[in-house]
Structure formats: C-alpha cells, structure tokens
Amino acid sequence: MRVLLIGANGYLGRFVADRLLADPAVQLTALGRGDDADVRFDLATGSPGALTRFLDAVHPGVVINCAGATRGGARELTRHNTVAVATVCEALRRSGCGARLVQIGCGAEYGPSQPGSSTAEDAVPRPGGPYGVSKLAATELVLGSGLDAVVLRVFSPAGPGTPAGSPLGRLAEAMRRAMQAGDGELKLGGLGAQRDFIDVRDVARAVHAASLSAAQGVINIGSGRAVRLRDAAAVLARVAGFGGALHELDGPPSALRPAVGHPRGESEHGMHSPPAAYPYPDGCGSWQQADVRTARDRLGWRPRINLEESLADIWMEAACRI
C-alpha cells in the first residue's frame, strides 16, 4: 500500500510515520515543509494543481493529513488548518489516483459539553475558539468533498513528544523546576479542567486502522474517560518522585505561578483571561469526554496505553531537559 503522509514531522505525524514504517506492506512517502521531507510542499501556500501533479506521479492509495497549526491568530490557524485542507481535497478531486483521505481532526471542534456527558460523533459542534473553528471548517470541507474520506477527531493527545507549551508539558516543566530548586511545594493554577487524554501512540494505531478500513465520516479517538488536570498532576508527582505538596491557586491565570492553562496569563486571543472562563486553552470549558464506541465498532480500535504510562514518558523527557 502506497501512503502519502502529510505533516510527518509534527507531534502526531512522527508517531504515525513510525507506525506505518513498521508495517512491511506500506510504502511511505512524506510530504511537508521541512528539509527532511521526501517532498517539500507548503499546503498553506501551494496550489492544488501542483499537488495534483505530484499525486498523479506518486499515485498513493491513501493520503493521511496530520499537518496543521495549534497556536497562532485566527488568520494563521485558518491558513494552516482550513485553506491547507481545501488544497488537499481539491488536489485529490482533480487527481486520477483515487486515494482515500484520512484527515486528523480534533475534539476542540465540539466545544464545551455538559459535565458528566460523553460526546458522540452526532453532537452538534460548537467550537469555543478560533482553533476549533478552523478545524471544524476543515472537517466540513472533507465531508462535503465527495472523496473516500474519514476524519478522526482526536481529543487530548499525551505521551512522548508532548509539546512543552501544552498544559501537561507545562505541568511537567513546572515540577522539574521545583525539584531542581529543592522547593517543598508547587503552586499551580488552572487544574480544574477535565479532559479526555489519549496516548499519541494509540492515536497512531487509530490512524493506521483508519487507513486500512472503509469507514467514512467522523470517528472520535479518545480514552472515553475524562481526567481532572489536578489528578493528572498528582500522578505526575508520583512518577516523578516529587514528595512536596501540590497547591492549587484560584483566580485568573494572570495571578498564577504559572497558570498551566495559559502562558503568561493570556488567552488564545492574546488578551487577559477572565477568572475561570476557559481554564484550558482549547475553548472547551471545564469538561470533555469522548464517546469512542464508533472507533471500536468501525475500526476495531481500543486505547491500550493508560495515562500513567503517558505521564511517565512526559516526565522522562522533561527530566532530561537542560
């Protein structure tokens, strides 16, 4: 099976590439903006015609799009998350390769949900920020393209390679600094949010399964269990061997040292956040939990790696950071 992977150097893309390379039946070609990509191409600025010519030359059976931006202003997010996907869809429509498209979406497309509920694929999306809006627009483009396509809505990825600027990455870095300084207590804020964390290696398994399946539409990829960030902090302290006290601070993120949710007390819009409005910077409010039955039924996929293992890997990387 010839697979074209877009965004192979990103957080998710690296693990998807590893998973596909481990399959002897897959012949992988990586397309991206970096020098180490097999083919250099910028989806945000490149033309559909140029991409079509490449598709016709390579003739992949599957195209997997892991590319995109998670941070930046509305214009940048739209360019990298929406315009880029429009380019992929148009190029595939023009191409004679007939490739299947696996698009990586995100749980932020749903927006806030009722505490205690599990969000299924038929929920009406109401994204609470520009990132979720840009990803939802991409999903709608894929679903309306007429292509053989599936969108995997990945909830909160965790595990090795977790970006240092993400909530779990910032939590691990704050703990590393406290241990390095010999602090007996760690004061953190924004720990009340509950999220569905899913290990990045399990996400890669889901992408691999989706590329081999005939499933179409939207499929949630998550653990099916919401975890409070303060509980994740307690687990992280245990695996790190941090024997000090964890203190949660209330109030707006600008008053915290540091706020796990927002760097420098700013929201994703670049303005100071109101108290407890969106303590987690994805526009999804205080609760998010995926209903993952569709992934089980249509992909034969279940998560295998628990959060403690994911956090142990996050800590291992943070502890090695100089």
Side-chain angles (χ1 to χ4, degrees):
M1 180 175 65
R2 194 183 298 268
V3 177
L4 175 65
L5 176 60
I6 304 171
N9 290 326
Y11 173 36
L12 297 181
R14 291 195 299 271
F15 290 92
V16 172
D18 289 344
R19 178 75 187 184
L20 294 172
L21 288 169
D23 184 346
V26 170
Q27 182 178 348
L28 184 65
T29 300
L31 182 148
R33 292 181 291 171
D35 292 335
D36 51 353
D38 296 322
V39 178
R40 291 191 65 183
F41 189 87
D42 188 341
L43 290 176
T45 59
S47 71
L51 184 56
T52 299
R53 289 190 291 274
F54 173 73
L55 291 172
D56 288 339
V58 175
H59 214 78
V62 178
V63 173
I64 300 172
N65 183 24
C66 294
T70 58
R71 298 182 183 276
R75 179 177 296 179
E76 183 180 5
L77 291 169
T78 300
R79 186 169 68 250
H80 291 289
N81 294 338
T82 309
V83 174
V85 173
T87 298
V88 172
C89 290
E90 181 60 24
L92 282 169
R93 279 195 297 264
R94 296 182 188 182
S95 172
C97 68
R100 170 173 172 77
L101 174 61
V102 179
Q103 165 70 16
I104 307 304
C106 69
E109 296 175 41
Y110 290 116
S113 55
Q114 187 68 28
S117 67
S118 291
T119 303
E121 290 85 355
D122 59 357
V124 177
R126 295 186 176 90
Y131 171 64
V133 170
S134 68
K135 293 293 286 186
L136 176 60
T139 292
E140 295 298 336
L141 286 170
V142 171
L143 297 181
S145 66
L147 299 169
D148 173 13
V150 63
V151 177
L152 302 183
R153 275 189 178 144
V154 178
F155 277 61
S156 297
T162 293
S166 71
L168 290 180
R170 291 172 64 81
L171 181 60
E173 177 62 15
M175 195 165 292
R176 182 191 71 82
R177 289 178 181 273
M179 294 176 70
Q180 190 175 45
D183 291 343
E185 62 177 16
L186 181 58
K187 298 178 180 179
L188 299 164
L191 299 182
Q194 298 183 67
R195 287 294 180 271
D196 187 327
F197 295 106
I198 179 69
D199 193 274
V200 66
R201 292 158 291 193
D202 280 334
V203 174
R205 287 179 43 247
V207 173
H208 188 202
S211 69
L212 297 172
S213 78
Q216 296 187 341
V218 174
I219 300 178
N220 290 340
I221 303 299
S223 70
R225 182 173 70 95
V227 175
R228 197 179 302 273
L229 201 55
R230 73 168 64 97
D231 295 331
V235 174
L236 187 64
R238 185 170 71 249
V239 300
F242 177 68
L246 293 176
H247 296 294
E248 183 174 2
L249 300 178
D250 297 322
S254 57
L256 307 183
R257 196 207 84 174
V260 173
H262 288 290
R264 297 187 181 91
E266 292 184 349
S267 72
E268 58 189 311
H269 301 285
M271 301 174 64
H272 287 287
S273 314
Y278 288 114
Y280 202 93
D282 56 6
C284 293
S286 62
W287 171 276
Q288 197 172 54
Q289 177 174 284
D291 183 329
V292 294
R293 290 175 294 179
T294 301
R296 178 196 64 197
D297 296 342
R298 299 176 65 189
L299 301 181
W301 174 91
R302 289 179 174 84
R304 293 178 181 171
I305 300 174
N306 61 38
L307 182 58
E308 183 166 351
E309 183 175 344
S310 301
L311 289 170
D313 288 327
I314 292 172
W315 172 249
M316 183 68 69
E317 292 182 348
C320 294
R321 195 174 298 129
I322 298 176

